[in-house]
Amino acid sequence: MPTRRGGTRPPQRRVTMPAAPAAAPTGAPTDSVLGAPEAAATVSAKEVARARTRNPIFPLGVSLYPVDEEAGERDLFYAGNLGDDLDLLHGARFGLVRVFVSWRVLEPQVSRYDEDALQHLADIIASIRTHGMQAIVCFFADDSHSDLVDVAWGVRRDPRTDGYLIQREVSLVQEVIRQLRGDAGVFAWQLANEAFLSGFTEKHELDEWTRILREAVREVDPKRPIALGADAETLMRATGVDARDAIATCEFSVSHVTAAYRAYAAEGPVTSGPSTYLEAFLLHLADRGNPIVSDDAGVLSLDFSPVEEAAALRTSLWTALANRSAGVLARRLRDLATERREPYFVDPFESLVGVTDSYGQPKPSFTEMQSFVRSVARIDLKHHVPAPERTAVIMPAERFNPLPDLASLVDPRSCLAAFTGAKRAHLPVTVAYETDDLSAYSVLILPSAFNLLDDTWERLTEFVQAGGALVLSYGGGDAHPGIRELFGVEFRGDDGPRELFSCRVAHADVLGALESFDARFAVSNFAQLGGGSATIVATDEQGSPLLTVNAVGQGRAVYIAAPIERGIAQGDPWATPAPVAALLSEVYGAVARSAGCIAPIDCDSPDIEVSLLQGDADDVALLINHAPARIEATFSADRGVAQIADVRGGSPVLVDGRTFSVAIEANGALALRLTYAREEGGR
């Protein structure tokens, strides 16, 4: 059994930064972002945290786009005065700024670089450094407004696959790095953004392009981190290209929600429902061992009020901290001054919304970032680590089948519904791929999959026999013969779709506090099951098994006879009947409790996400309200709590027990420091 601070996942990795920016102005922080120097031995970690104005290993940043007016000249390249913008960011204690290289401006003619433009880029980096920040330099980006990669002499060749243009890209990258490599203001090189990378249509072409550009960077700069600015899941959804291997060659990754992916996976309000869990889901799906930066945080269009923008960004910021991100980059600094548009005008990769207005005046979302900087600065992330996630939602390998395979369309949405259900049960949960090594987990959730690999059934059987717990819901069609051995039931056919979903509890308390109900809830399939070794926990209204539990070796396997997660995803996720949502979360929670995988802190409200950062002397509880209403929640700890305190300061509140209540505002978030009562034999 893992220790309290131990667990199955390796410690969260951080990027090793170059030396801190030199020549920072008086009062500017000198610790580098995404990697902190060791504190002096005579200064306690708590004192260091109190003294910080920003967290050295969890930076906030923003993208500075070359053009801020849609109707402006497309050849402009950071033509305005950036001094005021950088002063604003420095005053807010930001640590990162992303700038974009304009191939069109820097190489107006073949092999002839504009020295003035190169110097202008170098001056921008120098100014970022003198403001106490560091830059992520993105080489190739489609911006939709400044034609960054549209070189006039390219003669409409594809810069992603044309051999000649790729060689010109290599030369440009090396020319830029030679100009900037001596400046400590450069944190990392980003090869491209997702808008550019979405032009790839074949995996091998993306892998080869990444290899060539990466080698070009390493010839000139062997040390600085390299990133590929794409989220593997959102790019897969947009293009069908699997970018995981290309991303794995880089030193850190990014995760973000695109407009097209939000519309696909969680269309609807951005301040309630599944949409508020989408960023956490993608963060865990992108976690392949490297640090992950939450990229392009913020709303995706100018249709929202400033208050809604701030609420959505607040959730994004705290979600990143609570779900193993290594930092956050907001979508852009200034609102784009747009032209009058037709209602149907949509660009899935367009970046319009900033944290200031088009005149550079801070909006409520900017204030949220300032507040978040102050809060996270008080958390020592070197000594407070996330509670281990020993429950995993499994993304089936059929996700990568080409269209028109239906599984590639619906599986991610089913997995998001399962992930949301586990979060609402307050489980420390992550997302893994079917082909991953699953031995790191104690509970596996396989939601509504059509066809798992034959090898997977063997691995699942071994997993359960060794003491693991498995929850699998029927996906439709013929069931694999392995369910007889693993779940102890006989499959007798698919009963087809149902509009009325019924649950009749047969054995209370076997899978938590389940309740019988009838609900208008459509499912596309329902498995007819025969008797076997499994215990029938619940049936439908006709007595057909709905939930079964089977003991296998040292573990147990739970079978759900309907694709509930897919039903939630394909219906209206915001209108899921409460009994159905409660059924799913209660089953997940009960299985995790029996496997010893529950969180050290529980909550009586399913809308409150609870994440615990565990330290040696105290813990930090991150509490996120996913509802657009104020909630007075009661929390229960697995040990006696002496007192709680807001990490930002203020007087501690005496608890002297295992339960306490906290009010969290609509779409609000809190970070509470928990000090525990001394217990005999405890730490």
Side-chain angles (χ1 to χ4, degrees):
M1 178 66 67
T3 62
R4 180 173 182 273
R5 290 197 61 203
T8 55
R9 293 174 69 96
Q12 186 175 5
R13 300 181 186 177
R14 302 286 179 184
V15 175
T16 302
M17 292 295 297
T26 302
T30 56
D31 40 39
S32 56
V33 292
L34 290 183
E38 293 293 334
T42 57
V43 181
S44 72
K46 190 173 292 186
E47 290 171 331
V48 170
R50 288 198 191 101
R52 292 191 188 119
T53 55
R54 73 182 184 199
N55 198 302
I57 57 175
F58 193 93
L60 259 67
V62 68
S63 293
L64 289 177
Y65 278 85
V67 173
D68 288 320
E69 294 184 16
E70 188 172 34
E73 297 180 30
R74 304 180 78 85
D75 282 344
L76 293 179
F77 181 62
Y78 296 109
N81 181 9
L82 294 179
D84 292 343
D85 291 340
L86 295 179
D87 287 342
L88 182 67
L89 297 176
H90 166 66
R93 317 315 297 165
F94 282 27
L96 283 177
V97 175
R98 176 163 49 202
V99 297
F100 298 89
V101 171
S102 176
W103 190 8
R104 180 187 182 94
V105 170
L106 266 59
E107 192 178 3
Q109 299 181 39
V110 180
S111 301
R112 296 188 63 180
Y113 298 105
D114 188 321
E115 295 298 330
D116 291 339
L118 284 168
Q119 185 57 51
H120 181 49
L121 178 60
D123 291 342
I124 292 171
I125 301 300
S127 184
I128 291 170
R129 168 174 46 79
T130 57
H131 281 82
M133 297 179 286
Q134 290 182 294
I136 295 176
V137 179
C138 182
F139 290 116
F140 302 101
D142 278 346
D143 174 28
S144 301
H145 304 293
S146 51
D147 291 339
L148 295 173
V149 296
D150 186 17
V151 288
W153 45 266
V155 199
R156 298 185 180 181
R157 293 173 173 174
D158 189 340
R160 302 160 190 84
T161 56
D162 183 83
Y164 175 71
L165 286 188
I166 291 176
Q167 288 307 308
R168 296 309 315 149
E169 291 168 8
V170 167
S171 298
L172 175 74
V173 164
Q174 294 184 336
E175 186 71 24
V176 171
I177 294 177
R178 291 189 189 99
Q179 186 82 14
L180 302 178
R181 64 182 174 184
D183 197 319
V186 177
F187 157 54
W189 312 111
Q190 189 175 68
L191 300 183
N193 69 352
E194 186 156 332
F196 177 88
L197 296 170
S198 66
F200 284 98
T201 58
E202 298 291 341
K203 178 184 183 300
H204 70 88
E205 293 174 346
L206 172 60
D207 292 345
E208 181 66 8
W209 184 89
T210 303
R211 182 191 65 79
I212 292 171
L213 269 295
R214 179 178 172 81
E215 290 178 356
V217 173
R218 284 291 174 246
E219 286 180 9
V220 188
D221 184 351
K223 294 183 178 180
R224 281 189 177 90
I226 299 173
L228 199 64
D231 185 301
E233 171 60 21
T234 60
L235 190 67
M236 179 70 188
R237 166 63 185 155
T239 67
V241 174
D242 185 357
R244 290 179 295 171
D245 289 343
I247 292 171
T249 65
C250 300
E251 280 69 42
F252 71 96
S253 307
V254 302
S255 175
H256 56 226
V257 180
T258 62
Y261 199 84
R262 186 180 293 280
Y264 152 71
E267 184 180 9
V270 296
T271 57
S272 65
S275 180
T276 61
Y277 294 94
L278 186 56
E279 284 163 302
F281 173 73
L282 290 175
L283 268 171
H284 284 282
L285 197 57
D287 187 357
R288 315 307 296 163
N290 284 337
I292 308 169
V293 173
S294 296
D295 196 14
D296 287 343
V299 297
L300 294 151
S301 73
L302 293 166
D303 300 332
F304 301 96
S305 71
V307 173
E308 288 174 311
E309 288 182 12
L313 183 58
R314 183 191 311 125
T315 300
S316 297
L317 295 171
W318 287 95
T319 289
L321 181 62
N323 290 276
R324 294 182 175 268
S325 175
V328 180
L329 279 173
R331 190 167 301 280
R332 66 181 294 145
L333 177 60
R334 292 182 181 229
D335 285 347
L336 183 76
T338 59
E339 297 180 290
R340 186 178 182 87
R341 296 179 170 214
E342 297 296 333
Y344 55 78
F345 184 91
V346 176
D347 182 339
F349 293 107
E350 200 166 40
S351 182
L352 304 177
V353 188
V355 293
T356 70
D357 63 22
S358 59
Y359 299 100
Q361 295 301 309
K363 299 196 296 185
S365 52
F366 186 85
T367 304
E368 286 297 335
M369 295 190 76
Q370 285 182 298
S371 175
F372 181 76
V373 167
R374 291 193 295 270
S375 295
V376 77
R378 300 301 182 93
I379 304 173
D380 184 1
L381 295 176
K382 292 188 67 178
H383 298 93
H384 287 83
V385 298
E389 293 124 356
R390 293 165 51 212
T391 298
V393 175
I394 304 302
M395 177 74 78
E398 63 189 10
R399 166 69 181 103
F400 298 96
N401 294 345
L403 292 176
D405 191 321
L406 186 62
S408 63
L409 290 176
V410 302
D411 278 350
R413 297 172 63 188
S414 299
C415 288
L416 173 61
F419 180 81
T420 302
K423 281 285 189 180
R424 290 174 61 84
H426 307 111
L427 301 181
V429 61
T430 188
V431 186
Y433 289 104
E434 180 183 348
T435 53
D436 287 349
D437 179 6
L438 304 179
S439 62
Y441 307 107
S442 298
V443 177
L444 300 180
I445 300 171
L446 285 97
S448 311
F450 288 92
N451 289 295
L452 300 176
L453 302 173
D454 288 339
D455 174 68
T456 298
W457 286 95
E458 298 176 6
R459 296 166 64 213
L460 292 177
T461 301
E462 294 173 357
F463 172 84
V464 176
Q465 288 176 338
L470 170 66
V471 180
L472 184 145
S473 58
Y474 174 58
D478 290 334
H480 192 278
I483 73 163
R484 181 184 308 164
E485 176 184 359
L486 187 54
F487 295 98
V489 294
E490 293 284 346
F491 177 71
R492 294 181 176 175
D494 185 346
D495 195 43
R498 296 187 179 186
E499 295 295 326
L500 181 66
F501 190 80
S502 300
C503 173
R504 301 289 183 268
V505 178
H507 288 84
D509 299 325
V510 175
L511 286 177
L514 299 179
E515 296 182 359
S516 300
F517 64 86
D518 295 294
R520 287 287 176 184
F521 176 72
V523 292
S524 56
N525 309 87
F526 196 96
Q528 292 294 312
L529 304 177
S533 60
T535 299
I536 299 174
V537 178
T539 69
D540 66 1
E541 74 281 7
Q542 299 175 357
S544 181
L546 172 64
L547 289 172
T548 65
V549 178
N550 190 42
V552 182
Q554 301 179 54
R556 64 177 187 164
V558 175
Y559 193 77
I560 304 175
I564 297 179
E565 299 91 347
R566 191 191 306 151
I568 292 173
Q570 291 187 301
D572 185 349
W574 290 266
T576 301
V580 176
L583 169 70
L584 202 63
S585 291
E586 188 63 29
V587 170
Y588 291 167
V591 172
R593 284 192 295 271
S594 68
C597 297
I598 60 173
I601 300 290
D602 197 12
C603 177
D604 66 347
S605 172
D607 289 316
I608 302 297
E609 179 180 353
V610 181
S611 179
L612 198 67
L613 305 179
Q614 298 176 326
D616 292 325
D618 55 17
D619 293 343
V620 174
L622 305 177
L623 313 176
I624 305 172
N625 183 0
H626 286 267
R630 185 177 186 269
I631 294 178
E632 180 89 24
T634 299
F635 299 87
S636 304
D638 63 357
R639 54 191 307 212
V641 178
Q643 60 184 24
I644 60 175
D646 193 316
V647 298
R648 295 172 296 184
S651 301
V653 176
L654 183 66
V655 175
D656 196 23
R658 292 177 182 258
T659 63
F660 57 92
S661 296
V662 177
I664 307 176
E665 297 301 323
N667 299 119
L670 288 175
L672 298 181
R673 194 176 304 278
L674 277 58
T675 304
Y676 296 99
R678 291 186 176 273
E679 298 178 1
E680 185 175 353
R683 64 177 174 93

